[in-house]
Amino acid sequence: MTSLTVSSLTRSWPKATVAQAARMSVLGLSMVCVAPVAHARLDYSVSFVGDVASVSDLTGQIVDHVGAALADWGRYVAGSAKIDVEVQVTNSVPEAAASSRASGYVGTQSGLSVYGSGMAFKINQGVDVNGDTPDIEILLNPAYLHNDLWFDPEPFSRHDLVPLDKVDAMSLFIHEVGHALAFNGWGNHINGALPADYASTWDINTHFDGTNLYFVGARAEQLYGGAVPVTVGSNYHIGNANGPGVDLVPDIMNGVAFYRGSRYEISPLDVAMIQDMGVVVQAVPEVQSIWLMACGLLAMVIAMKLQARVTPAPRDCR
Ligand SMILES: [Zn+2]
């Protein structure tokens, strides 16, 4: 594999546009509203290795999509960190794959040593388990990128329609970052059987009933109304086209398909699952929704009072 660093970019949150800058005083006043919802603050860097020349037309968009996907998970995960991402452009995967580069010991359960992802360690605890090497890696097939994906012109806001003949790249990147954050482990893809006396925080939360593998974390079970079906033959995903979990195929962490023309979002079930896997989450969606409503009302009142200086009221209370 050619190891070529085309760009090693450091990006933080997107800079405010001119219009956003005009609203800064409203945003500043509404910080009191934002404060209780402690989103992760995720800076990031992206480096490329592999057949980078084949995607030279897409590297900027890939960097932006990685950052937007991290920001999306950062809406839920507590803590702050700079996540170093290595993108590998390679034909070794048909579409895409991702994981944390390292893991960290979290404890012993049922005689198994349990490990969580390096990414979760870094965000939640500020511990970089593998030092200066990349925290996560995302493998991308160049033909898949060119032929199937639609790169969102505004990946942080995601309001354009996804073309009917393309797969939404943001959905894919969020999904892949989900693997790096928690949806991963060492279990057999069909029955979850472990290779030795160690397990990931996902593995420890799965159960094989003799026919199907299920995710059995308490929060996820409570939210879903029972054990959450894992994709048959594709551990670390949920839902099935046939069999248990047909209703989970629309989930962004499904292992069945990303339908063209569709946009996928992190679901409350995904958040419950990462919590079951020990990822510390501060803003559960229900709470966030209440705060967003309250913030919206407060921001409207503030905007009305400041109407001479700032219009319109901010749409976004994050
Ligand atoms: Zn996947």
Side-chain angles (χ1 to χ4, degrees), residues 96-97 175-176 179 183 234-237 252-255:
H175 175 103
E176 297 306 334
H179 284 310
F183 289 70
S234 188
N235 200 354
Y236 313 112
H237 297 98
I252 198 167
M253 294 311 298
N254 90 82

Side-chain angles (χ1 to χ4, degrees), residues 30-258:
S30 60
M31 281 299 286
V32 62
C33 197
V34 175
V37 184
H39 303 138
R41 300 175 63 85
L42 299 180
D43 290 339
Y44 60 100
S45 70
V46 180
S47 58
F48 287 83
V49 298
D51 185 13
V52 189
S54 67
V55 296
S56 59
D57 54 327
L58 295 174
T59 50
Q61 292 171 87
I62 292 170
V63 169
D64 287 345
H65 279 60
V66 168
L70 286 167
D72 211 29
W73 282 108
R75 293 164 55 202
Y76 304 98
V77 180
S80 62
K82 174 168 170 277
I83 302 298
D84 299 316
V85 182
E86 182 178 273
V87 171
Q88 300 178 19
V89 184
T90 174
N91 291 312
S92 69
V93 293
E95 296 178 352
S99 68
S100 271
R101 270 286 180 80
S103 58
Y105 177 77
V106 295
T108 299
Q109 186 174 330
S110 306
L112 296 167
S113 297
V114 181
Y115 293 83
S117 80
M119 179 180 171
F121 263 79
K122 195 169 188 181
I123 300 173
N124 283 158
Q125 301 179 34
V127 175
D128 190 342
V129 295
N130 63 345
D132 291 339
T133 52
D135 302 305
I136 73 176
E137 59 187 25
I138 301 175
L139 284 65
L140 300 171
N141 181 297
Y144 180 62
L145 295 186
H146 281 118
N147 300 334
D148 293 272
L149 293 188
W150 171 73
F151 284 87
D152 197 320
E154 297 190 57
F156 285 86
S157 52
R158 305 181 76 195
H159 51 62
D160 286 0
L161 285 174
V162 180
L164 292 174
D165 61 344
K166 294 287 186 182
V167 172
D168 175 43
M170 268 306 296
S171 298
L172 174 83
F173 278 89
I174 295 168
H175 175 103
E176 297 306 334
V177 171
H179 284 310
L181 178 64
F183 289 70
N184 208 351
W186 295 278
N188 176 281
H189 273 281
I190 294 171
N191 60 21
L194 293 165
D197 59 351
Y198 56 88
S200 73
T201 50
W202 166 285
D203 296 326
I204 205 74
N205 276 292
T206 55
H207 170 71
F208 186 64
D209 71 355
T211 306
N212 293 107
L213 189 62
Y214 292 87
F215 187 92
V216 293
R219 287 184 179 84
E221 280 204 328
Q222 183 178 17
L223 188 63
Y224 184 65
V228 181
V230 172
T231 305
V232 175
S234 188
N235 200 354
Y236 313 112
H237 297 98
I238 58 175
N240 287 288
N242 302 295
V246 172
D247 56 325
L248 296 173
V249 173
D251 195 281
I252 198 167
M253 294 311 298
N254 90 82
V256 177
F258 277 144

